[in-house]
């Protein structure tokens, strides 16, 4: 397992691999790997000769009052976990290498980033699309792997790849959950025992919404109210947003129809958690 | 000589060439080729196995009241000229191919674009950096060639390439001039006979500035005043800007020192022309 810290060095390594005809999969992460990440690494290692895991807690995607400093970091642990999941190389660089003095170029997806998390975290997606573009240019992968947990991120990146004519296939992998339904996240480590107990309310709310739709409910507002009510039952939970949107535009919808994203952001204590489900409703009218 | 209109087709062609180990040079243009473009094509054909000339009058880099509709176009003529200059392929696509429905991703260089032409043409450079990123991703060149006439454009693109970790060498070629000093430009075709006569004032003003510096003048304001006075002598000339800036930051300077860009934008009648010189002053204090 190779660990690279410098852009020039990993670029050289990749070029050597590509000269030998090897295919490259990239799994971009902020480290502190959990089973969600590991599922992406495993998937990539099945589909590519080389799997590069990038580990970089990207400052430009954190807002001023967010958890950049506090975000958990443990490279040694990550290297071991990535290796076990069949990664071939780690690219773990520092902010000075990625954003040297004078840095000033940003990639922005204009409309899709205005909804959901984009509304609550201005600048967040510009940071994400910029770092992902940079990683794509450094690693030059055939395929890149993202988790469905960050549903909006996956949709935004797919749009960016299409718009900028990047010759990379984006693979989105299912959410990996704890046995009680909580979506795996590096931020789950922030939760106290009581907060951890209450954090199941996200998945539970999504399951209630799904059941309502299966039972015939088609009014988004009714479903949202039910989700909100359920979340408010938890003493430590504070709703950031409850969204039911069209999966292509991420615009809020009134009537459940076609491909729909139900997405939540909820603060449990000080920890902001997100979760989502996608479903397709094709009623015959 | 191959002419491609579709992204998928030229991408396929390029991949075949690269598989054979051939190097790719890209000359991005808006067509209506003149000797400035041809010098870039010749340079590229000397340095690469394959030279692709892209021809696309990019709508996103034109302002609302600018000359997008009027901009001269003649693909047949361009193909002949490019072939004579040893181009291997033309990529001439339409706006619907480049910016399909739903397009919404932009690349922006934040600071360098706030000066000079960026001040006068808001959004212009965002259009340029976006289309150039797309062309880079489609053509995947080893080197790309730009003219020194668009000095700020070359500086902005170099910054973008560095910031986004694009693995492409940017080659900037000298301005090609008419015998009376006017910088070659597709927009020169707009000029009436009288306007054409007066248009030499740009180069003349730059030469006066250069002479002043060679004679020891170090106050930018004195040199600018002299340039402005000279331009105002011409009845059809209207100054857009006269700039003396640091070549790295493009910020206006007060004292001539180090690497300096003297750049002009002047309207002659309705036609906006630009020109510039770069010089280095290293006084021993």
């Amino acid at each position: 397992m190779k660990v690279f810290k410098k852009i020039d060095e990993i670029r050289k390594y990749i070029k050597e691999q590509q000269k030998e005809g090897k295919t490259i999969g990239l799994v971009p992460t902020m480290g502190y790997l959990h089973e969600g990440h590991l599922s992406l690494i495993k998937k990539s290692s099945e589909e590519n000769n080389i799997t590069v895991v990038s580990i970089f807690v990207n400052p430009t995607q954190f807002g001023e009052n967010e958890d950049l400093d506090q975000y958990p970091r443990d490279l040694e642990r990550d290297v071991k976990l990535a290796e076990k999941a069949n990664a071939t190389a780690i690219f773990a660089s520092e902010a000075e290498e990625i954003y040297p003095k004078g840095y000033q170029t940003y990639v922005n997806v204009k409309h899709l980033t205005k909804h959901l998390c984009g509304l609550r975290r201005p600048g967040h997606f510009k940071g994400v699309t910029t770092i992902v573009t940079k990683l794509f240019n450094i690693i030059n992968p055939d395929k890149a792997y993202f988790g469905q947990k960050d549903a909006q991120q996956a949709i935004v990146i797919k749009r960016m790849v299409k718009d900028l004519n990047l010759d990379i296939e984006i693979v989105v992998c299912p959410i990996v959950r704890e046995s009680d339904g909580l979506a795996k996240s590096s931020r789950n480590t922030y939760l106290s025992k009581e907060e951890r107990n209450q954090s199941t309310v996200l998945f539970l709310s999504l399951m209630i919404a799904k059941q309502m739709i299966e039972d015939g409910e088609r009014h988004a507002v009714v479903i949202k109210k039910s989700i909100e009510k359920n979340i408010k039952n938890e003493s430590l939970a504070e709703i950031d947003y409850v969204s039911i949107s069209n999966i292509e535009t991420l615009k809020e919808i009134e009537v459940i129809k076609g491909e729909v994203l139900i997405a939540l952001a909820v603060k449990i204590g000080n920890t902001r958690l997100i979760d989502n489900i996608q479903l397709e409703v094709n009623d015959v009218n």
Side-chain angles (χ1 to χ4, degrees), chain A:
Chain A
M1 174 83 136
K2 290 171 185 295
V3 179
F4 297 94
K5 300 219 163 188
K6 297 291 175 195
I7 292 168
D8 288 347
E9 289 167 11
I10 189 145
R11 188 170 257 164
K12 195 177 154 224
Y13 166 75
I14 295 287
K15 281 190 178 175
E16 287 166 5
Q17 302 303 316
Q18 288 179 325
K19 236 179 212 169
E20 293 176 21
K22 291 190 179 157
T23 58
I24 314 288
L26 170 66
V27 182
T29 82
M30 297 211 300
Y32 218 74
L33 304 180
H34 53 68
E35 284 172 57
H37 299 117
L38 300 180
S39 75
L40 304 179
I41 298 171
K42 282 173 195 157
K43 179 85 171 159
S44 171
S45 74
E46 288 162 19
E47 297 186 347
N48 304 278
N49 302 123
I50 300 288
T51 290
V52 178
V53 179
S54 67
I55 295 178
F56 180 58
V57 183
N58 175 37
T60 66
Q61 73 189 67
F62 285 80
E64 266 188 39
N65 300 313
E66 294 182 7
D67 56 343
L68 172 62
D69 293 334
Q70 175 191 5
Y71 200 87
R73 292 159 168 92
D74 188 340
L75 182 59
E76 207 178 319
R77 172 182 169 281
D78 286 342
V79 169
K80 280 182 201 154
L81 289 171
E83 187 159 28
K84 239 190 225 170
N86 293 328
T88 328
I90 298 268
F91 177 51
S93 56
E94 301 294 329
E96 305 80 56
E97 175 82 356
I98 298 293
Y99 301 112
K101 196 167 164 279
Y103 188 92
Q104 56 183 287
T105 305
Y106 297 91
V107 178
N108 192 32
V109 175
K110 200 170 166 186
H111 303 299
L112 288 171
T113 57
K114 285 186 178 151
H115 311 288
L116 305 166
C117 287
L119 260 182
R120 305 297 166 148
R121 305 182 71 188
H124 167 68
F125 284 112
K126 190 157 92 170
V128 170
T129 44
T130 300
I131 187 66
V132 169
T133 298
K134 285 169 64 68
L135 290 168
F136 285 176
N137 289 335
I138 294 167
I139 308 297
N140 193 15
D142 299 280
K143 296 184 180 189
Y145 297 78
F146 295 86
Q148 174 61 30
K149 201 201 81 189
D150 300 285
Q152 186 176 15
Q153 173 176 278
I155 290 167
V156 166
I157 285 170
K158 278 186 178 175
R159 182 78 240 177
M160 176 188 81
V161 164
K162 190 177 174 189
D163 282 354
L164 295 186
N165 309 103
L166 285 154
D167 194 15
I168 298 169
E169 185 185 331
I170 301 302
V171 181
V172 181
C173 299
I175 298 175
V176 178
R177 299 182 178 281
E178 303 287 353
S179 56
D180 63 3
L182 176 64
K184 301 255 184 185
S185 165
S186 307
R187 288 189 171 99
N188 291 352
T189 56
Y190 297 156
L191 298 168
S192 71
K193 198 173 170 196
E194 181 53 25
E195 288 167 351
R196 176 64 188 79
N197 282 338
Q198 296 197 13
S199 64
T200 54
V201 73
L202 280 90
F203 183 63
L204 182 63
S205 302
L206 292 171
M207 288 303 101
I208 290 169
K210 190 179 172 201
Q211 191 59 54
M212 288 175 79
I213 293 170
E214 283 173 6
D215 291 345
E217 182 56 63
R218 292 293 178 267
H219 294 93
V221 63
V222 175
I223 299 165
K224 281 187 196 178
K225 270 189 188 154
S226 170
I227 293 175
E228 284 161 7
K229 196 180 149 207
N230 190 56
I231 295 170
K232 282 173 187 163
N233 281 338
E234 300 296 339
S235 59
L236 302 172
E238 188 195 321
I239 294 171
D240 190 28
Y241 65 75
V242 172
S243 162
I244 302 182
S245 69
N246 174 291
I247 225 158
E248 221 162 291
T249 63
L250 295 180
K251 285 180 185 163
E252 296 296 308
I253 55 175
E254 288 177 17
V255 178
I256 308 295
K257 195 183 165 186
E259 282 197 281
V260 173
L261 175 70
I262 308 182
L264 309 178
V266 179
K267 280 187 91 172
I268 307 286
N270 287 320
T271 303
R272 185 177 179 277
L273 301 176
I274 58 175
D275 202 349
N276 69 86
I277 54 170
Q278 284 188 22
L279 32 86
E280 194 168 350
V281 174
N282 292 309
D283 293 325
V284 183
N285 294 340

